[in-house]
């Protein structure tokens, strides 16, 4: 630190603009000695200060305007960066308000700073974590009320403290008395001390000094952090060293290129780290000569990796000039090339001529530049996050024992697969539980190519293509067949019959029974429940359409569900929509989702199985169905459901619920609906679940822990909601929401759960019957009506697909009633399965089957 004390020939001091930015200039001012007061006047003055503080509330808006005016004027430059300095905020920590705290308060008010006050360490920490002030001023004059240094250490232990200036207010000592050392306070984390003085002008000067000094410096440091973050994410290897070539910084690309970690190279000579025989002996001298002249050096430089391998790199080295025009740092940027680099000219020098770079090179005109461009193209890398992980593991292998290298090879083999989130458990389950294995394989696999066993073939005689086969063929609903609603129904909620309205009145509870609604509406539950639910969520106002359009659309959609299906019919669609609406009413979802998200969730639930033929994707692929051909065997039904929903909606203006949406809003809504419908494909179940657990559950848990440790209120803090409300996280949540709604049957009340269990089993029975009759591969052999144990299949489904997903969703949005039903139903199926097992042993039935069970 230097004092600007030289006087010019004209008797004036140098202008501030003449002093470089790298120099700290300190001014020495006369010492202010506050006038002495007796205790009576001091108390009287204190009362006046408190009375003045009461008027602050009255002048709030004036102060707000002053803050806004002030915040628009503070622009800070850091090299080419333009930074905006916000209005400074201050936290005062004084056990008791006195003339000193009032002095800072009024000084902050006059300047236009934001100011808060705390009277104990607990409220100080709470205010600090909530307000994130730029400056904290702590009363360090008396340790009777709290330990100022302990509070400072607590503040410094938080993550954001590096951007905070912490100031201690210390006692004023007589001139003849020796002051204690401030070093312990500096060690505790204080940046500065202010000797007590209640004078408002003095307090204003101190605060202004802080704003244009320490606070502004911290703003620049935070900007530097952004620059370093950018450097860590570029593909070129960047190295920053001192004028003596001592390495001070390397980025992640440098670590990948050389194989060295930053800890291994920092503080070492950069030329010694990569030294090798491939570079010509005088190359370093040539580079240094160019740098000393203030010139750039650009060319091919051979880099020795930690493993001993030597790589050619296209290297750009430039000097950074500091104080006095001397070199303060050297920047080296390397980009690895291919073996064709030997055709390049070994070095190219650049010089600064009239502010422009001029190239000094030899060879045919234009050839070096062309060759250099080719080398750059070969060295370009397009990195994904998984590529970075693989590169880190590759670098770790180079310095690891052989056992670790072999283990990491297995890790790399797994990471290079395309299904990172899909579990690898098929073989284990085949050995332990054939029923669970067949169930999982049938639901998760897209195309199961099983050969028919002789026992199956014996059931299909030589006339299988005759009467029996034709009967099954005629009963099989094609993807075109559907049952239209035969009779007109009401299109207004006000005209709903009383016996239907009585059931609909319970739709806000989880105990709502959609099976009862199916019976009283003559298999038209989707129209009535859909109209009420969509109206409750404000579809008419949000989409700017009439209620009749919504009713017409629901009629059309319900008509395209196959009433002949025992499970995948409009009742299932109404059930999934009800579950989705129930989930949307959870407090956390109401905070995270907007109305667009809610509409997307409800519409996706309504159409998610539209025109379902009652057969699985694997069945359609195996029979070479035209839908499977159309969608290339990928998510056949899910693609069909979403595509048909939009085709039907846009066909007729009287049913087009999207017709009045803005183009951008429609695109967002359509994208969300399609994504959610595609998420119901069971093949992607574990991928979606693992993403939800890693991104949402673990993120919430981490923020919960941080919140509880800091005492910063409830888990649903602004920070948590901001993170959950990001587009990517909202997508993860919506996928799990519709997946839970789609398979919520095991979490319904027991009588409803049992009914759905029977219905899905019957639909799978029909598929197995048809597969056998037509000689197709049997996708789920376990669903054979002659050998099935329904309780066992329910237990397997819950164990594999339900438990973890609903526990994770419960951790996120709190659905205890579902978990209670799930536990009750699981216990029921378990007891029922044990009863069937015992009965089958007594009656000696094959595969533990009873007539009652099937």
């Amino acid at each position: 630190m230097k004092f600007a004390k030289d006087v010019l020939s004209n008797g004036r001091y140098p202008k501030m603009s003449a002093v470089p930015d790298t120099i700290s200039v300190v001014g020495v001012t006369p010492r202010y000695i506050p006038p002495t007061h007796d205790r009576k006047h001091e108390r009287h003055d204190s009362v006046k200060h408190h009375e003045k503080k009461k008027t602050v509330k009255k002048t709030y808006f004036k102060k707000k305007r002053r803050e806004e005016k002030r915040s628009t004027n503070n622009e800070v430059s850091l090299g080419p960066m333009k930074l905006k300095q916000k209005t400074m905020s201050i936290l005062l920590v004084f056990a008791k308000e006195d003339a000193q705290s009032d002095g800072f308060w009024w000084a902050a008010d006059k300047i236009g700073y934001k100011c808060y006050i705390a009277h104990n360490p607990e409220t100080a920490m709470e205010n600090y974590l909530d307000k994130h002030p730029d400056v904290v001023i702590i009363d360090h004059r008396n340790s009777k009320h709290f330990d100022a240094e302990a509070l400072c250490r607590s503040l410094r232990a938080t993550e954001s403290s590096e951007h905070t200036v912490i100031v201690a207010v210390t006692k004023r000592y007589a001139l003849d008395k020796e002051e204690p050392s401030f070093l312990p306070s500096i060690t505790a984390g204080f940046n500065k001390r202010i000797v007590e003085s209640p004078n408002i002008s003095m307090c204003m000067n101190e605060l202004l000094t802080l704003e244009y000094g320490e606070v502004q410096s911290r703003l620049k440091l935070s900007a530097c952090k952004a620059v370093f973050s950018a450097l860590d994410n570029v593909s070129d290897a960047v190295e920053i060293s001192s004028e003596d070539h001592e390495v001070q910084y390397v980025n992640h690309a440098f670590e990948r290129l050389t194989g060295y970690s930053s800890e291994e190279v920092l503080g070492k000579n950069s030329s010694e780290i990569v030294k090798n025989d491939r570079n010509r002996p005088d190359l370093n001298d040539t580079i240094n000569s160019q740098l000393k002249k203030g010139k750039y050096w650009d060319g091919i430089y051979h880099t020795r990796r930690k493993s001993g391998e030597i790589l050619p790199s296209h290297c750009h080295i430039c000097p950074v000039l500091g104080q006095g025009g001397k070199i303060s740092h050297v920047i080296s940027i390397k980009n690895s090339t291919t073996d064709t680099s030997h055709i390049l000219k070994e070095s190219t020098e650049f010089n600064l001529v009239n502010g422009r770079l001029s190239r000094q090179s030899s060879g045919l005109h234009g050839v070096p530049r062309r060759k250099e461009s080719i080398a750059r193209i070969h060295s370009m890398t397009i990195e994904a996050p998984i590529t970075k992980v693989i590169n880190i593991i590759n670098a770790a292998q180079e310095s690891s024992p052989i056992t670790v290298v072999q283990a990491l090879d297995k890790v790399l083999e797994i990471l290079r697969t395309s299904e990172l989130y899909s579990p690898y458990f098929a073989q284990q389950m085949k050995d332990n539980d054939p029923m669970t294995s067949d169930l999982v394989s049938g639901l998760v696999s897209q195309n199961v190519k099983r050969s028919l066993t002789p026992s199956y073939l014996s059931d299909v005689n030589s006339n299988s293509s005759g009467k029996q086969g034709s009967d099954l063929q005629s009963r099989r609903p094609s993807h075109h067949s559907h049952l239209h609603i035969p009779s007109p129904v009401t299109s207004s909620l006000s005209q709903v019959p009383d016996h239907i309205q009585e059931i609909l009145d319970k739709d806000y509870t989880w105990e709502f029974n959609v099976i009862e609604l199916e019976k009283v509406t003559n298999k038209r539950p989707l129209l009535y429940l859909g109209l009420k639910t969509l109206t409750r969520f404000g579809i008419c106002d949000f989409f700017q359409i009439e209620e009749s359009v919504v009713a017409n659309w629901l009629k059309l959609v319900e008509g395209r569900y196959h009433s002949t299906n025992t499970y995948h019919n409009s009742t299932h669609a109404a059930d999934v929509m009800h579950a989705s609406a129930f989930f949307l009413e959870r407090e956390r979802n109401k905070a995270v989702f907007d109305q667009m998200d809610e509409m997307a969730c409800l519409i996706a639930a309504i159409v998610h199985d539209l025109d379902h033929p009652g057969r699985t994707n694997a069945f359609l692929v195996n029979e070479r169905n035209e839908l499977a051909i159309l969608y290339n065997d990928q998510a056949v039904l899910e693609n069909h459901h979403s595509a048909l929903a939009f085709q039907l909606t846009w066909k007729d203006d009287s049913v087009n619920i999207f017709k009045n949406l803005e183009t951008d809003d429609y695109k967002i809504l359509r994208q969300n609906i399609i994504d959610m419908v595609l998420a119901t494909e069971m093949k992607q179940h574990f991928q979606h679940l693992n993403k939800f657990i890693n991104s949402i559950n673990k993120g919430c848990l981490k923020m919960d822990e941080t919140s509880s440790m800091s005492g910063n209120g409830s888990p649903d803090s602004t920070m948590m909601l901001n993170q959950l409300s990001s587009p990517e996280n909202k997508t993860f949540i919506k996928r799990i929401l519709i997946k839970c709604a789609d398979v919520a049957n095991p979490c319904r009340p027991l009588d409803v759960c049992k009914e759905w269990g029977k219905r899905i089993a019957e639909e799978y029975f029909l598929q197995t019957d048809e597969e056998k009759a037509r000689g197709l591969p049997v996708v789920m052999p376990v669903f054979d009506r002659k050998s099935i144990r329904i309780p066992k299949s329910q237990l397997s489904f819950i164990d594999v697909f339900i438990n973890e997903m609903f526990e994770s969703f419960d951790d996120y949005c709190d659905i205890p009633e579902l978990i209670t039903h799930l536990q009750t139903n699981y216990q029921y199926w378990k007891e029922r399965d044990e009863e069937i097992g015992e009965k089958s042993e007594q009656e000696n039935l094959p595969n533990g089957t009873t007539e009652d069970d099937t």
Side-chain angles (χ1 to χ4, degrees), residues 115-325:
C115 192
Y116 316 96
I117 189 163
H119 300 295
N120 55 62
E122 290 76 21
T123 50
M125 181 62 76
E126 184 177 343
N127 274 281
Y128 179 75
L129 294 172
D130 183 41
K131 308 296 184 183
H132 300 291
D134 301 300
V135 177
V136 180
I137 301 178
I138 302 176
D139 188 0
H140 200 347
R141 295 171 295 175
N142 194 333
S143 60
K144 181 172 70 173
H145 301 291
F146 59 81
D147 187 341
E149 292 182 1
L151 174 58
C152 182
R153 280 191 289 269
S154 298
L155 296 176
R156 287 299 181 203
T158 62
E159 291 184 4
S160 58
S161 66
E162 63 176 316
H163 304 300
T164 306
V165 181
I166 305 181
V167 180
V169 178
T170 60
K171 290 181 180 180
R172 181 179 296 280
Y173 291 90
L175 295 175
D176 58 345
K177 188 176 181 180
E178 186 176 347
E179 292 188 17
S181 172
F182 191 62
L183 183 60
S185 299
I186 294 174
T187 306
F190 283 102
N191 302 106
K192 179 182 172 65
R193 73 161 187 152
I194 297 175
V195 178
E196 63 178 336
S197 173
N199 181 270
I200 295 179
S201 297
M202 188 281 289
C203 292
M204 289 176 65
N205 290 333
E206 290 289 355
L207 295 180
L208 288 168
T209 303
L210 286 170
E211 179 185 14
Y212 289 95
E214 293 277 354
V215 174
Q216 202 170 91
S217 297
R218 274 166 168 70
L219 176 65
K220 294 180 179 180
L221 286 174
S222 66
C224 291
K225 193 173 181 180
V227 173
F228 282 119
S229 178
L231 289 174
D232 279 335
N233 287 280
V234 299
S235 58
D236 289 343
V238 179
E239 172 196 312
I240 302 177
S241 58
S242 67
E243 69 275 18
D244 298 324
H245 303 289
E246 184 179 290
V247 178
Q248 297 178 336
Y249 165 83
V250 294
N251 68 346
H252 296 327
F254 180 94
E255 295 175 322
R256 292 194 299 270
L257 176 65
T258 64
Y260 289 100
S261 65
S262 59
E263 292 80 7
E264 292 176 299
V265 298
L266 293 182
K268 296 184 179 179
N269 189 289
S270 59
S271 59
E272 292 297 323
I273 296 171
V274 296
K275 187 176 181 181
N276 61 83
D277 298 333
R278 296 286 295 276
N279 295 319
R280 69 173 194 262
D282 61 340
L283 182 57
N284 285 335
D285 293 336
T286 303
I287 295 173
N288 290 332
S289 174
Q290 289 295 114
L291 297 179
K292 288 178 182 178
K293 297 174 185 177
K295 298 178 181 179
Y296 297 87
W297 184 89
D298 197 275
I300 299 301
Y301 192 93
H302 289 84
T303 302
R304 177 174 56 83
R305 290 172 53 82
K306 184 178 180 180
S307 61
E309 180 185 3
I310 298 176
L311 297 176
S313 303
H314 185 276
C315 189
H316 181 87
I317 302 176
C318 63
V320 177
L321 303 183
Q323 188 176 343

Side-chain angles (χ1 to χ4, degrees), residues 363-610:
L364 293 174
H365 178 68
V367 172
R369 185 183 297 271
R370 170 67 176 166
K371 300 291 187 182
E372 180 183 303
S373 300
I374 294 172
R376 284 187 179 276
I377 290 171
H378 280 292
S379 66
M380 287 171 61
T381 56
I382 302 174
E383 286 192 326
I386 191 64
T387 310
K388 293 184 178 181
V389 173
I390 291 174
N391 287 336
I392 292 171
I393 294 175
N394 282 328
Q397 283 183 306
E398 294 180 1
S399 57
S400 300
I402 185 62
T403 53
V404 177
V405 171
Q406 292 172 346
L408 290 178
D409 280 336
K410 294 180 180 179
V411 173
L412 290 172
E413 184 179 348
I414 295 170
L415 290 178
R416 288 188 174 106
T417 64
S418 59
E419 300 294 336
L420 293 180
Y421 286 93
S422 299
Y424 183 72
F425 51 35
Q427 186 59 46
Q428 292 87 328
M429 290 195 303
K430 276 186 182 296
D431 297 337
N432 298 330
D433 187 354
M435 177 171 287
T436 303
S437 174
D438 283 342
L439 178 65
V440 172
S441 297
L443 293 176
V444 173
S445 298
Q446 181 76 304
N447 183 11
V448 183
K449 296 291 186 181
R450 279 197 178 87
S451 299
L452 294 174
T453 62
S455 61
Y456 292 152
L457 289 172
S458 63
D459 294 334
V460 184
N461 58 30
S462 59
N463 295 324
S464 61
S465 59
K467 185 175 185 303
Q468 182 184 6
S470 61
D471 288 345
L472 282 169
Q473 181 76 9
S474 63
R475 289 198 302 268
R476 180 177 64 89
S478 71
H479 72 278
H480 289 299
S481 64
H482 61 274
L483 185 65
H484 288 286
I485 298 175
S487 58
V489 296
T490 178
S491 62
S492 173
L493 286 173
S494 61
Q495 301 173 12
V496 174
D498 292 340
H499 66 290
I500 296 178
Q501 187 63 53
E502 185 179 349
I503 297 175
L504 289 176
D505 287 341
K506 303 174 185 176
D507 72 323
Y508 63 91
T509 70
W510 186 249
E511 309 302 319
F512 175 77
N513 192 333
V514 74
I515 305 296
E516 289 183 3
L517 184 64
E518 176 193 64
K519 294 176 182 176
V520 299
T521 59
N522 192 24
K523 295 188 176 182
R524 294 184 299 228
L526 184 58
L527 171 63
Y528 292 96
L529 183 61
L531 190 58
K532 184 177 182 186
T533 303
L534 291 174
T535 303
R536 174 157 58 97
F537 279 85
I539 187 173
C540 294
D541 291 337
F542 188 69
F543 282 1
Q544 299 179 8
I545 53 176
E546 299 294 329
E547 186 180 285
S548 59
V549 177
V550 181
N552 291 336
W553 180 75
L554 286 168
K555 291 178 194 176
L556 176 65
V557 169
E558 188 157 36
R560 294 304 293 260
Y561 274 95
H562 300 183
S563 61
T564 53
N565 289 346
T566 59
Y567 183 87
H568 289 101
N569 48 40
S570 67
T571 305
H572 170 64
D575 186 57
V576 175
M577 181 197 61
H578 171 263
S580 298
F582 183 84
F583 295 151
L584 290 173
E585 294 287 0
R586 301 303 91 196
E587 288 301 320
R588 180 164 282 175
N589 283 328
K590 287 199 289 186
V592 170
F593 291 147
D594 55 26
Q595 196 170 4
M596 178 72 79
D597 297 316
E598 292 173 346
M599 289 297 107
C601 289
L602 295 174
I603 294 172
I606 290 171
V607 305
H608 84 283
D609 273 332
L610 186 63

Side-chain angles (χ1 to χ4, degrees), residues 614-651:
R615 300 293 182 263
T616 63
N617 279 333
F619 178 94
L620 299 181
V621 171
N622 289 339
E623 75 158 355
R624 299 172 188 172
N625 187 283
E626 62 184 54
L627 287 178
I629 295 171
L630 176 64
Y631 294 113
N632 299 313
D633 296 348
Q634 301 300 311
V636 177
L637 287 172
E638 291 73 23
N639 275 303
H640 176 58
H641 303 323
S642 56
L644 182 62
F646 287 98
Q647 289 172 3
L648 294 175
T649 304
W650 281 101
K651 263 187 176 181

Side-chain angles (χ1 to χ4, degrees), residues 33 125 162 226 349 458 517 534 536 636 686 710 726 743 747 768 777 801:
I33 302 176
M125 181 62 76
E162 63 176 316
E349 298 172 2
S458 63
L517 184 64
L534 291 174
R536 174 157 58 97
V636 177
F686 297 100
S710 63
S726 70
V743 293
C747 302
T768 301
F801 296 104

Side-chain angles (χ1 to χ4, degrees), residues 95-122:
K96 295 181 179 179
E97 295 184 33
D98 57 8
Q100 183 64 67
S101 64
D102 291 343
F104 281 119
W105 179 279
W106 279 107
D109 182 70
K110 282 192 172 186
I111 300 173
Y113 297 143
K114 298 175 184 177
C115 192
Y116 316 96
I117 189 163
H119 300 295
N120 55 62
E122 290 76 21

